Amino acid sequence: MPRSSNSGPAFTVSVAIRGAHREADEVRGRDKHVSKTVKDQDGTLRRYVLWHLGDMKKEYAQNGKSPPDEETARRQHLRPSVASPDLATVRDFIQFYIATSRPRLDAERLTVDSVNTVAEWFFAGFTRVTVGTTDLDPRGDRREQAPSETQFHRQRPHSRPSQTMDTTFIIHVYCWTGARIGAFFTDGLRYKDVVLVLQCVSGRSWRLIYKIDQRWVKNNRDPDNTVFGAAAKEHKKLFYNDAGFLLAMAIADDAVFGYESLEDVQAQELPSGQDELCTKTGGVTDDFMPKSLFTAIFKSTLTNAGYLCGPSIHAVRRQLSKGVDKRHTAVQRSQHLTQADPRVFGQSYVANCSSVDGQAAFQNEESDHRHIEYFQSLEGFHEEGLPGKLPTHLEEALHCDAQLCELETEVQTLTRTAAAENALNKAKQRHANHLKKMKSKALRQYQEHWVRERQDWKILTRGRGVAQDKSKTDFVQNICLLIPERGRVAQKMAADQPLEPGEMWQALQDLHSLCVQDFTVLYLPRSRPVDGACPTKCCQLHLDR
């Protein structure tokens, strides 16, 4: 019997075919590890060497030889191309590790999870150091080997509007899932982990809902088969309509089976007697958005908005947790934020400043949380007009740095002597990295100095002064003249009232247009080529770009 559109919340079940995406989703760079994991691996391998060193000292003493040192043991048991230890040797080493460890979670012995982690460090580290293979490794260090990239099957050009759209969508997802930063940049956010559904709703034919499965969550040791889902729906305000963003990107990426345009989706009707229609999404990109690019866009956005100290993704997670605490039980919050792991955090996981009004509680008065909300907000770090780049004279002064001059001289010497390309490239990279580090540090110092002066100025003028800050929107407004779609989207994003269905579809059309257009060359209004030719009727000259 079909369910009516107002019969309450609907639940949609999607069926995945095991192994269907295995070839397309093959992880790149499986021999890469993050620095923290390398440090843990090296620590485990050193204990492995010391374990062998104890036996070697006994053997050398019996033979009347001088005792070996740690380096001798390392050359014998951990040199490149050394044979992998057998299962019995690994088992004995793990027993030695357990016996000589000082556990933190359990007063008596290491937990099972801790032992498994040590085994993973050993197998992956042994493979990395010996540049060989360990036949005993059942799983390797898959959590850390995955590339740090958000993976979309990108048919569209990787232009600035497209990057901004990806970043906006990802930030929205972080806001309502409470995911950690690595959730969508460790092995990527793939379309196969997104279920996009059309659901019957009163007043119109259907609405968009979707579910995202997180694989790379804390303490998930089987990301291939264990996922944690969270659902979301479309919103009448474009700014919060990340379901619409997802649809526009998916259509542009040709990642939704059976739909080539938004008109195709708009024309879709639900089958008779059916309240939901689950679409089929899939694909993976060859052009990734790296975590570093997302972080740079995120920080730049906050700086342009005037925030000296913006929130991290972890701060977003904590803010969500605070809201969840007000509405849901501890069990529900644990399912959403900690994936049922009680060790991640305790009963209250809120902002740095306590949400309790201690004075009112002590004096038995009515609580007033306005002051608490201020300290839990970003308003204390907001300063309108905050500069986003160094003044020219300060940037030029950086080139007088002694170390930078030495690196620059090294590059010039290698270039003049026609040195090996590899050595020259490394020297250029060291020069570029040092300059980038100096600029970042100098900009931070300049911003802090600017904020202090601005705050002092406000006090000295008693708040009556009017700041003459350089507008940061002039460039954007000029760009909107060249890219009208961006201007219309910006206007609708700022709208405080819900958009009508027709306006929402027009906005999605503009989003889709921003995805598929190539903005390598910008054209004046009504000057864009038509079918590859000049739009002027008397010209019609064929244009390559």
Side-chain angles (χ1 to χ4, degrees), residues 293-353:
L293 177 59
F294 167 78
T295 305
I297 296 176
F298 185 48
K299 290 182 177 179
S300 175
T301 302
L302 293 169
T303 299
N304 290 335
Y307 290 99
L308 176 62
C309 296
S312 62
I313 295 301
H314 191 67
V316 173
R317 172 181 169 83
R318 291 188 301 185
Q319 183 63 25
L320 173 66
S321 179
K322 179 183 175 183
V324 170
D325 279 342
K326 296 178 180 179
R327 298 169 177 264
H328 303 283
T329 65
V331 173
Q332 291 171 324
R333 182 201 59 193
S334 179
Q335 290 173 343
H336 191 85
L337 293 171
T338 69
Q339 289 78 40
D341 189 344
R343 295 171 300 173
V344 177
F345 54 75
Q347 292 296 318
S348 182
Y349 190 68
V350 295
N352 298 11
C353 178

Side-chain angles (χ1 to χ4, degrees), residues 413-432:
T413 302
L414 292 174
T415 303
R416 186 172 55 256
T417 58
E421 183 179 358
N422 186 35
L424 179 60
N425 290 338
K426 288 184 177 179
K428 289 181 177 180
Q429 188 63 47
R430 287 194 295 270
H431 177 271

Side-chain angles (χ1 to χ4, degrees), residues 353-415:
C353 178
S354 172
S355 296
V356 176
D357 186 354
Q359 290 175 315
F362 181 78
Q363 299 173 8
N364 195 24
E365 296 177 348
E366 184 178 355
S367 297
D368 178 6
H369 289 88
R370 290 184 63 242
H371 60 297
I372 297 175
E373 291 171 356
Y374 169 78
F375 287 111
Q376 291 182 344
S377 71
L378 296 174
E379 287 306 310
F381 303 102
H382 180 262
E383 195 65 56
E384 195 67 34
L386 181 71
K389 62 180 182 180
L390 279 173
T392 304
H393 70 282
L394 292 181
E395 187 170 347
E396 291 178 350
L398 297 178
H399 293 275
C400 298
D401 178 74
Q403 185 176 352
L404 186 66
C405 291
E406 291 178 3
L407 294 173
E408 188 173 353
T409 302
E410 181 184 5
V411 172
Q412 294 173 352
T413 302
L414 292 174
T415 303

Side-chain angles (χ1 to χ4, degrees), residues 193-205:
D193 293 329
V194 177
V195 181
L196 190 60
V197 178
L198 312 183
Q199 184 183 58
C200 180
V201 63
S202 60
R204 52 196 177 103
S205 56

Side-chain angles (χ1 to χ4, degrees), residues 441-513:
K441 182 178 179 180
L443 175 60
R444 181 66 180 185
Q445 292 175 345
Y446 173 68
Q447 288 175 332
E448 291 176 349
H449 175 73
W450 185 92
V451 169
R452 287 195 298 269
E453 284 195 338
R454 174 58 60 91
Q455 292 173 346
D456 292 345
W457 173 79
K458 289 181 179 179
I459 295 174
L460 294 175
T461 60
R462 301 297 184 262
R464 300 187 181 94
V466 179
Q468 301 295 328
D469 296 320
K470 184 178 180 180
S471 175
K472 294 185 178 182
T473 61
D474 291 344
F475 176 77
V476 176
Q477 292 173 356
N478 293 333
I479 287 294
C480 291
L481 296 177
L482 299 175
I483 310 177
E485 297 92 340
R486 179 166 179 170
R488 292 193 294 268
V489 168
Q491 186 178 13
K492 289 182 172 64
M493 288 280 282
D496 191 46
Q497 299 298 324
L499 300 181
E500 295 294 331
E503 294 177 316
M504 181 63 73
W505 279 107
Q506 178 59 51
L508 298 184
Q509 288 284 5
D510 288 335
L511 290 174
H512 179 263
S513 177

